[in-house]
Amino acid sequence: MIIKGFQKLTLLDFPGRTACTVFTGGCNFRCPFCHNALLVTEQDDIFYTEEEIFDHLKLRKNVLDGVAVTGGEPLLQKDIERFLYEIKDLGYAVKLDTNGSFPEKLKGILELGLADYVAMDIKNCKEKYAETIGLKNYDITPVEESMKILKNSGVDYEFRTTVTENFHTNEDIEKLAEWIKGTPKYFLQNFVDSGMLIDGSCKGVSRPQMREMLEIVKKYVPNAELRGI
Ligand code: SF4
């Protein structure tokens, strides 16, 4: 496991849990608005050992009840299954974040009961997917596969989209919402500049536009919510 970040306590990352967050290194996407560029491009030399993580989990059993595993893209890690298994074996619930591009790996993890909650990014409407993830071309089949796997898994999950002025118009959001029609949990979150972006020119949208987008989404996903505004 390549672990490049560790937040010892979070009340935000794992709904309903007092958790810590493990950040894995590397990602196969290059979203210009990615708020963790160093972690994705692995250009720094910050690493955590698994021992550090597990020592903390053993010590904090009476305080924490969940571990959020995020990235980068956690499913890029060769031994992610073993890592999640060891977390579960200590009695913790696991939340897994993914960009949805490794459906087979996701399926295996869900079948083994190694994730209690999955948050999957839906980056944009199909037509603008490649551009939004910073690639010249991208076949969205794996993302669609992951969507289906989650829908049929019985595991609690959400879809979410980070909205930017640069890549998301109301029309794009409407097409996206039509694509994920009927999803039980969906969150629109406005882009926030972390100061560590892949492309520093990215901007969020105004609050009124976020609310407009939410109303558009609700025609297809009635339970959709805004997050973080
Ligand atoms: S936003 Fe997520 S999917 Fe996109 S580059 Fe960053 S870690 Fe990868």
Side-chain angles (χ1 to χ4, degrees):
M1 287 288 296
I2 300 169
I3 299 169
K4 295 192 64 70
F6 183 42
Q7 187 180 346
K8 290 184 172 175
L9 178 67
T10 173
L11 300 175
L12 300 173
D13 285 354
F14 193 162
R17 300 272 179 181
T18 305
C20 59
T21 306
V22 176
F23 298 84
T24 63
C27 187
N28 53 326
F29 288 0
R30 285 292 179 273
C31 312
F33 48 89
C34 180
H35 63 277
N36 231 335
L38 286 179
L39 199 142
V40 162
T41 54
E42 299 186 78
Q43 282 168 351
D44 60 15
D45 53 5
I46 300 167
F47 289 99
Y48 291 79
T49 64
E50 286 188 28
E51 201 180 359
E52 284 173 88
I53 310 296
F54 289 124
D55 283 351
H56 182 75
L57 293 181
K58 282 171 197 162
L59 269 175
R60 292 289 178 267
K61 267 188 156 176
N62 52 344
V63 181
L64 304 174
D65 60 359
V67 180
V69 180
T70 188
E73 172 51 44
L75 298 187
L76 265 183
Q77 302 295 318
K78 286 195 183 79
D79 41 1
I80 185 73
E81 295 88 349
R82 177 197 48 80
F83 185 67
L84 299 182
Y85 177 85
E86 289 188 32
I87 295 172
K88 296 282 292 176
D89 204 36
L90 287 172
Y92 287 92
V94 167
K95 175 194 176 227
L96 177 68
D97 288 352
T98 181
N99 63 25
S101 57
F102 298 100
E104 285 308 313
K105 222 155 180 185
L106 177 64
K107 191 169 176 226
I109 283 168
L110 298 177
E111 283 174 359
L112 290 168
L114 299 177
D116 303 276
Y117 191 88
V118 178
M120 178 174 151
D121 295 333
I122 309 293
K123 300 291 186 182
N124 208 336
C125 61
K126 296 179 196 183
E127 295 83 346
K128 286 176 82 171
Y129 225 86
E131 172 189 351
T132 310
I133 62 174
L135 301 179
K136 279 203 178 116
N137 300 297
Y138 184 70
D139 173 1
I140 56 158
T141 309
V143 171
E144 292 199 297
E145 272 299 303
S146 293
M147 288 163 81
K148 273 189 221 145
I149 287 164
L150 282 170
K151 279 180 193 163
N152 297 323
S153 68
V155 173
D156 202 6
Y157 71 94
E158 69 177 50
F159 293 151
R160 61 191 183 181
T161 302
T162 299
V163 180
T164 63
E165 184 188 273
N166 314 56
F167 295 99
H168 302 89
T169 63
N170 286 6
E171 291 71 30
D172 298 329
I173 292 294
E174 176 141 20
K175 284 185 201 161
L176 186 164
E178 216 173 337
W179 182 23
I180 62 162
K181 191 174 178 176
T183 293
K185 280 189 206 168
Y186 177 64
F187 297 91
L188 277 177
Q189 45 201 39
N190 204 355
F191 165 81
V192 178
D193 188 348
S194 66
M196 259 209 304
L197 303 175
I198 288 183
D199 174 354
S201 69
C202 283
K203 287 191 182 131
V205 302
S206 66
R207 282 180 182 215
Q209 193 180 351
M210 281 299 282
R211 282 192 278 273
E212 246 176 65
M213 286 177 165
L214 180 66
E215 288 316 307
I216 292 169
V217 170
K218 281 186 168 214
K219 290 192 279 177
Y220 307 91
V221 185
N223 294 334
E225 291 179 43
L226 298 181
R227 178 179 273 159
I229 72 159

